[in-house]
Amino acid sequence: MSVLTNENLTPQDILAKAQKLRPQLGDAFRDEIVTSLYGEAERIAQRAVHTTKDKRWDFDQRIDRIVTSPVWGLPIMLLLLAAVFWITIVGANIPSQMLATALFWLEDKASGLFTAWGIPWWITGFLWHGIYRGLAWVVSVMLPPMAIFFPLFTILEDLGYLPRVAFNLDFLFKKAGAHGKQALTMAMGFGCNAAGVVATRVIDSPRERLIAILTNNFVPCNGRFPTLIMLATVFVAASFSPVAASFVAAGSVLAVVLIGVFFTLLVSWVLSRTLLKGEASAFTLELPPYRRPNIGRIVYTSLIDRTIFVLWRAVLMAAPAGAVIWVLGNIYVNGNSLAIYIANFLNPFGVLLGLDGVILLAYIIAIPANEIVVPTMLMVYTGTGMMIDLPGLDGLRTLLIGQHGWTLLTAINLMLFSLLHNPCATTIATIYKETKSAKWATVSVIITLGLAFLVTFLTASFARLIGWA
Amino acid sequence: MSSNPCETCPANAQLAQMGLKIEKFDRIVALAGNPNTGKSTLFNTLTGLNQHTGNWPGKTVTRAEGGYEFNKIRYKLVDLPGTYSLLSASQDEEVARNFILFGQPDCVVVVTDATALERNLNLVLQVMEITDKVIVAVNLMDEARRKGLEVDVRSLSRDLGAPAIPITARNGEGVQTLLSTIEEVINGNIQTKPLRVSGTDQFRRSVEELSGMITALIPNIPNARWLAIRLLDGDARVEEALVNGELADLVMNQRQSDLRLSSKTALAGNQ
Amino acid sequence: MPDPIVLLLAAALLFALALLIFHPRKGIFIRLRAGRAAAQREKMEDILKFILDRQQEGRFTSNEALIDVLSIHPNELLRVRKTMEAQGLVRVEGGTLALTATGQQLALQIARAHRLWERYLATEARLPLQKIHREAHRMEHRISQSEVNALDAALGYPLFDPHGDPIPNRAGELPAKELGKPLTEWEAGTPGRIIQFEDEPPLAYEQILAEGLKLGQTLRVIEATPERYVLTDGENEYRLAPAVAANVFLVPSPKAAIHGGDVFPLASLDDDQPAEVVNIDESCQGFTRRRFLDLGLTPGTIIYPELNNFFGDPRAYRVRGTLIALRRDQAGMIQVRRLEPE
């Protein structure tokens, strides 16, 4: 060893020395480090671990053979997803009705009381028919499905099923030039797209991470599920017998989700051939052993952390939205309310897409949070003079079909539009934060919105062409 | 299951979950480990927090922090992202590696999966290269029993030169012992002598030459060997820390805090 | 009297236009000027690199060669050459151009930036090899010295670029390089490891890549006729025209000689058939290689294809007690030997 003292040794000397030694070691020395580490680990583990039973195939492995099997893997996946939707739809139906009845009863009584006390009509209207009604709609439409869907999904997550889904679908992502873990980030997107965007950090390749970020919105998040469920139940499933209706509704929600997966793959494929050129990168996916989910903890966390959190956000957005709609609906110019003017202005474009002006207006008002689209829409419809006599889904049907001329095409296109349209403000902000680029945040909006317009326009034109609508 | 998952565990006597109240703490403990070994479950058990615990690799992308109090000493607990190794420069490995090296934890608990010990020990050996204050928590003992595996933790401790504690974070089994071991290791009552893995002759010679220079530059640096390997590998972050004096500062801080702690324990002994 | 609002709008528009053109940092004017300066610098750097390449091959560089290969207009070349002479980068010796010591150093630094970028694009960004040259050529002029050093460190100080060309280090020194023999002179039957591809002419290079040959791959020549060369890696056969084969350089591969014929890629292993890892292919470098090693795919490890899915890709392998899914092309980079089931 050379005699070196602190005075004449600098960090640079050490770096220079390392640089000199490095080529002598050759490229293989990293391999050797890891090989010797694992060799040591193997020796220690062999001394410390003893097998008492000889079970070559344990229970986990047998389950894995089934859920990833070439024959059963994909059907089981679809069946599980459908089951989650079905339980959500069936379970949420009655609580939703009850909540709606109770909350609107309160609105009636309270506004009646306000009127009786001689409080000016516009205060009563603004508070009760504006802000409160927005809240009531959000709570009754959103709370029950969320409170059921979140825990169910978390059980699948804690069980360790999601990596198996990624394993089953990886081939498609590879073909699309994307990362296999994109399936995991999509699964997170079911909960919340902003969370899905954050989850893309598991993807190492920057190119594939961007693809996953830009396409995450094609997974309908929890805020959009109630919209889909409501539409599926009210329109698509309505013509079936009550027994079959819930299955049809679950099936149509599943179909929408699959369309979302299709667009995810399509857009990923296009992106990896245009804006984000490149081959699928190497990746490794660990399939962790199954773990028994802790049901108590899941129910607690998904109710407190997730449901209440998302609901609170929706409530914060719904109250001002309710106020805005009430104001728009109650300022009259030349005999018509502002809401009517805007809706009429947007109507030609809306009709072109198989929707109408009110729906577009609702989407514009609901940009901060997708959750409030349906409540906003209903408030514009009802706020412009029509009150619903029957709360709940039957009331909705009467209102939309009977009074506003909705058709099956409107419902289907609204579902497609809801699936494809731009991410909510929170998600856009998250994309900006994660990519540190206004450009990619903008691109995410352009892609989704453009696709939403295009697809709804095409379906509407097609339906009109063959005489459906 | 109640909202408090640790009602039945014996640790409850001295353990107080402090959740996010971590402004004032005496010690820092880091939780490292492979993905899916139950780090977040242990973190939740100790802090009473509800760090989300999904069963898929990469779920904890950044580090989570929480606190607990044990025997009247307040600990800040840092849950690091799960990694197989600290050698390849992926984002999560950077986070974990940088915290163990620069975050100055008083003790690192490597949470391992009893059913896949061999794979997990690779990381343990790597962490032991960076720091002496290591405890191996052999988690998921219930799973191991279900699979008919017996883990001889004594043999493990002896071979590694660091304490190995069998636990089941899910139901609190062994957590009490783990906590007191953390205390003992930090106080120096348990001396660790971590195993160091050697490679080929030429590799060893190069490492010795380089680590000699590092020790000459920064006397008392505890992990010169590991740093030498990182420099040979061309680790940009370590190079930077060497040049800008960060490494030298670390050693200085460590010695000062050691002095502070020993005077504190001396005071406590007098009372 | 025009509407004041119209006036205000017009003024604002004029101001915006002026800003667009004359903004001190982002204006069109300044950008054009900076662009011209950058173009001139790029030309100079290209010339330096070209002379360096020629010099390393032991050839001189004439004005004609520059005009021809780099397609520079003669007048422009004259102007650029003058600037370079004035800066002491080149000297003119009887019709040929030679690098001064400063010029050589600068040329090496540009080659360093270029080859590091190629390495990055190939191993980390996984761009197809056909595309990396152009991209690296664009980047080599834009990257600063400290960025190059950071890139070098981040890549773990690689010695060679994806074509097998040596990468100069910070001081401009080139790593010692094994001298490969062209495939056309290689003895049939002896295993050899690909050490370098000549990437000029591009057409021949594209054919090499289209055949699927990779740097670091170990091959044997099984047929050598004036019409074609046939090679095998034990699994696949590769066919090359002799003119193309002359652009592939090999060195002896002792490892492969020991392995013999029973070593094959993991991707070809049957389901449920246990095997032992022999090594990770030399063509697999960078992040992927490190990830494989970290997962415990070290020589001697027992591996076992346990799960297969609907598409047949990826498969999940049991490695050291954990199930790890690998795509087919990745599993092709891991060499294994079959083990008898217990």
Side-chain angles (χ1 to χ4, degrees):
Chain A
M1 198 61 239
S2 57
V3 210
L4 287 161
T5 55
N6 294 1
E7 285 88 62
N8 56 23
L9 185 70
T10 67
Q12 257 69 29
D13 295 339
I14 297 177
L15 293 190
K17 185 78 186 168
Q19 196 169 350
K20 224 182 99 225
L21 289 170
R22 194 175 301 125
Q24 294 167 16
L25 289 173
D27 275 343
F29 92 97
R30 285 188 198 93
D31 296 23
E32 281 159 20
I33 296 175
V34 184
T35 308
S36 60
L37 279 170
Y38 263 113
E40 194 63 50
E42 204 176 318
R43 268 192 298 283
I44 297 174
Q46 259 163 18
R47 271 202 294 273
V49 182
H50 309 283
T51 320
T52 49
K53 299 181 252 185
D54 186 39
K55 278 204 296 185
R56 229 172 86 77
W57 285 103
D58 61 19
F59 190 60
D60 279 13
Q61 287 172 303
R62 262 177 241 173
I63 290 187
D64 260 345
R65 286 260 161 171
I66 300 167
V67 300
T68 66
S69 105
V71 184
W72 297 110
L74 296 180
I76 287 177
M77 190 187 80
L78 291 180
L79 220 65
L80 269 176
L81 206 55
V84 169
F85 295 147
W86 183 78
I87 297 173
T88 308
I89 289 170
V90 171
N93 191 7
I94 290 167
S96 260
Q97 300 243 18
M98 284 164 55
L99 271 175
T101 316
L103 291 173
F104 290 114
W105 174 84
L106 188 66
E107 181 190 331
D108 258 9
K109 290 288 157 212
S111 59
L113 220 57
F114 267 49
T115 317
W117 289 340
I119 292 168
W121 69 272
W122 51 271
I123 293 183
T124 316
F126 186 77
L127 282 182
W128 291 102
H129 302 312
I131 293 173
Y132 176 83
R133 191 183 287 177
L135 294 179
W137 272 118
V138 163
V139 172
S140 61
V141 172
M142 288 194 58
L143 181 61
M146 264 174 26
I148 298 171
F149 182 83
F150 266 140
L152 285 179
F153 202 76
T154 314
I155 289 175
L156 286 184
E157 188 191 339
D158 276 19
L159 204 59
Y161 182 65
L162 299 188
R164 271 78 186 171
V165 172
F167 175 70
N168 281 339
L169 295 180
D170 175 62
F171 183 78
L172 300 175
F173 286 98
K174 179 182 158 187
K175 285 281 163 213
H179 199 280
K181 285 188 183 168
Q182 195 172 329
L184 289 177
T185 65
M186 284 168 71
M188 291 301 103
F190 276 120
C192 165
N193 291 127
V197 169
V198 174
T200 60
R201 290 183 192 167
V202 298
I203 299 175
D204 292 311
S205 145
R207 186 188 73 85
E208 287 162 2
R209 179 160 179 234
L210 258 178
I211 291 180
I213 289 177
L214 294 179
T215 56
N216 194 273
N217 193 54
F218 295 130
V219 178
C221 67
N222 230 283
R224 288 182 279 164
F225 258 116
T227 313
L228 297 178
I229 289 175
M230 181 210 90
L231 292 167
T233 317
V234 173
F235 293 93
V236 185
S239 45
F240 292 84
S241 72
V243 184
S246 63
F247 292 103
V248 174
S252 14
V253 174
L254 182 65
V256 172
V257 169
L258 291 182
I259 293 172
V261 173
F262 169 76
F263 277 107
T264 302
L265 291 168
L266 182 75
V267 172
S268 302
W269 185 82
V270 172
L271 280 175
S272 60
R273 264 146 202 85
T274 54
L275 280 182
L276 294 164
K277 252 184 227 160
E279 302 292 306
S281 81
F283 93 111
T284 51
L285 174 72
E286 189 205 356
L287 304 181
Y290 293 102
R291 306 256 194 259
R292 186 166 42 84
N294 186 337
I295 305 285
R297 181 164 215 121
I298 286 175
V299 171
Y300 175 80
T301 46
S302 46
L303 282 186
I304 301 303
D305 285 4
R306 290 186 169 186
T307 308
I308 300 297
F309 171 78
V310 177
L311 191 70
W312 178 239
R313 195 181 80 115
V315 162
L316 284 183
M317 297 296 174
V324 168
I325 296 160
W326 188 86
V327 170
L328 288 179
N330 284 281
I331 295 181
Y332 286 85
V333 181
N334 298 338
N336 265 329
S337 71
L338 279 181
I340 299 271
Y341 273 113
I342 300 173
N344 282 345
F345 173 74
L346 292 170
N347 203 43
F349 186 55
V351 169
L352 202 62
L353 303 179
L355 307 169
D356 67 22
V358 174
I359 298 174
L360 291 186
L361 173 62
Y363 267 101
I364 293 170
I365 295 174
I367 283 176
N370 287 325
E371 297 89 312
I372 60 170
V373 166
V374 169
T376 312
M377 205 166 64
L378 296 177
M379 282 174 56
V380 179
Y381 281 137
T382 56
T384 52
M386 315 275 185
M387 291 298 289
I388 306 186
D389 306 322
L390 297 159
L393 297 179
D394 292 331
L396 279 181
R397 185 153 44 235
T398 329
L399 172 80
L400 296 176
I401 299 179
Q403 299 173 355
H404 293 280
W406 276 38
T407 61
L408 187 59
L409 174 70
T410 324
I412 288 177
N413 268 5
L414 184 51
M415 282 164 98
L416 286 174
F417 193 77
S418 164
L419 175 74
L420 300 173
H421 81 94
N422 58 295
C424 69
T426 314
T427 308
I428 297 174
T430 311
I431 293 177
Y432 174 71
K433 247 192 291 181
E434 291 290 317
T435 58
K436 297 187 189 72
S437 141
K439 177 184 145 202
W440 289 117
T442 317
V443 168
S444 78
V445 174
I446 293 172
I447 290 176
T448 47
L449 207 55
L451 209 59
F453 286 150
L454 184 72
V455 170
T456 47
F457 172 70
L458 288 179
T459 44
S461 310
F462 181 72
R464 284 176 188 132
L465 205 67
I466 61 168
W468 265 5
Chain B
M1 195 74 209
S2 73
S3 60
N4 179 357
C6 204
E7 253 170 14
T8 47
C9 68
N12 232 18
Q14 292 108 331
L15 171 70
Q17 303 167 330
M18 288 166 57
L20 283 170
K21 288 177 283 175
I22 44 171
E23 308 86 46
K24 288 178 76 183
F25 55 87
D26 308 309
R27 311 282 156 85
I28 307 176
V29 175
L31 290 180
N34 282 18
N36 301 102
T37 48
K39 284 183 302 302
S40 297
T41 310
L42 180 62
F43 178 84
N44 288 344
T45 305
L46 291 180
T47 60
L49 286 173
N50 278 310
Q51 168 79 350
H52 183 49
T53 57
N55 188 6
W56 49 284
K59 174 215 39 117
T60 310
V61 264
T62 48
R63 50 175 218 248
E65 300 186 351
Y68 72 90
E69 193 182 295
F70 182 73
N71 280 348
K72 308 227 163 59
I73 296 174
R74 278 167 306 206
Y75 294 85
K76 179 163 101 172
L77 194 63
V78 181
D79 186 15
L80 299 174
T83 62
Y84 290 109
S85 162
L86 301 172
L87 295 173
S88 57
S90 72
Q91 243 183 15
D92 39 358
E93 292 189 13
E94 288 264 325
V95 173
R97 203 274 312 271
N98 287 348
F99 189 80
I100 297 173
L101 184 59
F102 303 113
Q104 299 200 308
D106 294 289
C107 169
V108 179
V109 177
V110 187
V111 183
T112 61
D113 177 352
T115 65
L117 209 51
E118 180 185 318
R119 161 176 307 286
N120 287 251
L121 286 178
N122 169 49
L123 181 72
V124 174
L125 292 171
Q126 291 189 35
V127 173
M128 293 199 317
E129 295 266 359
I130 307 180
T131 166
D132 286 347
K133 304 268 181 186
V134 177
I135 296 168
V136 180
V138 186
N139 192 18
L140 301 165
M141 287 302 285
D142 55 343
E143 293 275 333
R145 281 192 288 269
R146 189 169 67 84
K147 291 194 171 172
L149 296 172
E150 233 168 53
V151 181
D152 180 356
V153 285
R154 278 207 204 158
S155 146
L156 201 58
S157 300
R158 203 174 46 235
D159 283 346
L160 290 171
I165 314 294
I167 64 165
T168 302
R170 202 169 9 216
N171 59 25
E173 172 196 326
V175 170
Q176 161 85 6
T177 323
L178 177 66
L179 292 177
S180 46
T181 313
I182 292 173
E183 191 181 17
E184 305 270 290
V185 166
I186 294 178
N187 289 344
N189 295 342
I190 296 180
Q191 285 293 329
T192 51
K193 246 191 91 199
L195 175 82
R196 300 275 144 101
V197 177
S198 55
T200 60
D201 281 350
Q202 175 159 38
F203 172 67
R204 207 168 50 231
R205 269 201 305 278
S206 306
V207 170
E208 272 165 17
E209 202 172 334
L210 213 53
S211 61
M213 287 175 81
I214 296 171
T215 322
L217 182 75
I218 311 167
N220 294 318
I221 191 152
N223 41 20
R225 216 187 88 86
W226 183 80
L227 292 170
I229 298 174
R230 295 317 298 152
L231 289 178
L232 283 174
D233 196 6
D235 188 316
R237 180 70 180 87
V238 172
E239 284 182 1
E240 184 196 324
L242 181 71
V243 172
N244 68 16
E246 205 175 334
L247 285 175
D249 291 349
L250 280 181
V251 177
M252 193 102 97
N253 290 343
Q254 195 58 51
R255 294 189 68 201
Q256 277 167 359
S257 82
D258 280 355
L259 284 174
R260 214 172 44 237
L261 268 179
S262 61
S263 68
K264 198 170 170 180
T265 37
L267 275 175
N270 286 341
Q271 279 168 356
Chain C
M1 173 85 192
D3 196 324
I5 292 181
V6 173
L7 271 180
L8 203 67
L9 271 177
L13 209 69
L14 268 176
F15 181 70
L17 202 68
L19 209 62
L20 192 70
I21 297 172
F22 296 110
H23 186 277
R25 264 175 300 113
K26 294 184 171 172
I28 291 173
F29 185 67
I30 205 83
R31 279 193 185 193
L32 269 180
R33 231 178 50 185
R36 206 173 311 128
Q40 162 119 2
R41 199 169 48 96
E42 266 183 43
K43 276 271 146 55
M44 281 165 50
E45 293 181 353
D46 284 346
I47 292 172
L48 286 176
K49 213 169 52 144
F50 183 76
I51 302 175
L52 179 73
D53 280 352
R54 286 275 181 132
Q55 214 166 298
Q56 281 170 352
E57 292 167 19
R59 293 160 70 188
F60 295 109
T61 309
S62 62
N63 280 343
E64 288 68 40
L66 284 172
I67 293 167
D68 206 36
V69 180
L70 297 180
S71 54
I72 305 178
H73 192 273
N75 290 345
E76 195 188 357
L77 177 64
L78 213 65
R79 207 178 58 234
V80 175
R81 211 185 66 191
K82 250 192 204 135
T83 323
M84 289 170 76
E85 261 185 296
Q87 292 181 2
L89 298 174
V90 293
R91 45 173 197 274
V92 185
E93 292 165 348
T96 65
L97 283 163
L99 295 173
T100 63
T102 328
Q104 168 125 4
Q105 200 51 33
L106 191 56
L108 279 167
Q109 287 312 317
I110 299 159
R112 170 173 153 83
H114 181 89
R115 288 172 189 170
L116 280 172
W117 258 105
E118 288 198 326
R119 174 86 181 198
Y120 168 78
L121 291 171
T123 60
E124 310 295 323
R126 302 237 320 157
L127 234 58
L129 283 182
Q130 292 92 322
K131 288 184 184 158
I132 60 174
H133 180 80
R134 223 179 49 206
E135 190 69 15
H137 185 74
R138 217 162 49 82
M139 287 310 298
E140 74 191 24
H141 303 296
R142 301 181 182 184
I143 185 169
S144 74
Q145 186 79 41
S146 61
E147 281 170 329
V148 172
N149 291 339
L151 184 64
D152 199 9
L155 292 173
Y157 300 102
L159 300 179
F160 299 98
D161 79 358
H163 312 296
D165 289 325
I167 301 174
N169 69 7
R170 224 179 284 194
E173 299 150 358
L174 290 167
K177 186 175 164 51
E178 289 177 274
L179 276 178
K181 247 200 226 171
L183 185 55
T184 39
E185 293 166 25
W186 197 257
E187 196 183 329
T190 350
R193 187 160 57 84
I194 302 181
I195 188 170
Q196 190 179 1
F197 294 133
E198 180 54 59
D199 55 354
E200 299 281 336
L203 212 63
Y205 185 50
E206 286 212 4
Q207 272 184 44
I208 295 172
L209 298 179
E211 270 299 303
L213 288 175
K214 285 182 224 116
L215 218 58
Q217 210 173 8
T218 302
L219 299 159
R220 272 181 305 123
V221 178
I222 49 177
E223 192 190 320
T225 61
E227 289 83 46
R228 62 174 192 184
Y229 278 78
V230 182
L231 311 156
T232 180
D233 62 350
E235 279 293 303
N236 306 306
E237 286 194 356
Y238 306 91
R239 279 148 222 276
L240 295 173
V244 177
N247 283 353
V248 178
F249 294 85
L250 302 175
V251 290
S253 171
K255 264 191 207 158
I258 301 164
H259 294 155
D262 60 341
V263 174
F264 57 93
L266 179 60
S268 322
L269 186 66
D270 293 332
D271 286 353
D272 295 330
Q273 164 69 50
E276 174 196 21
V277 174
V278 176
N279 66 341
I280 301 174
D281 209 290
E282 293 290 323
S283 62
C284 168
Q285 287 298 336
F287 187 72
T288 315
R289 188 184 190 85
R290 272 177 276 162
R291 198 13 75 90
F292 280 168
L293 290 169
D294 286 348
L295 288 172
L297 290 163
T298 53
T301 307
I302 293 169
I303 191 163
Y304 180 85
E306 192 168 303
L307 298 178
N308 206 339
N309 69 13
F310 175 75
F311 300 102
D313 180 23
R315 282 198 298 183
Y317 301 87
R318 176 81 50 189
V319 188
R320 298 184 191 269
T322 307
L323 269 178
I324 310 239
L326 297 177
R327 285 176 176 170
R328 221 186 148 66
D329 47 347
Q330 293 170 277
M333 297 191 284
I334 298 162
Q335 304 289 329
V336 297
R337 182 189 292 122
R338 206 173 272 121
L339 289 178
E340 288 314 309
E342 296 147 41

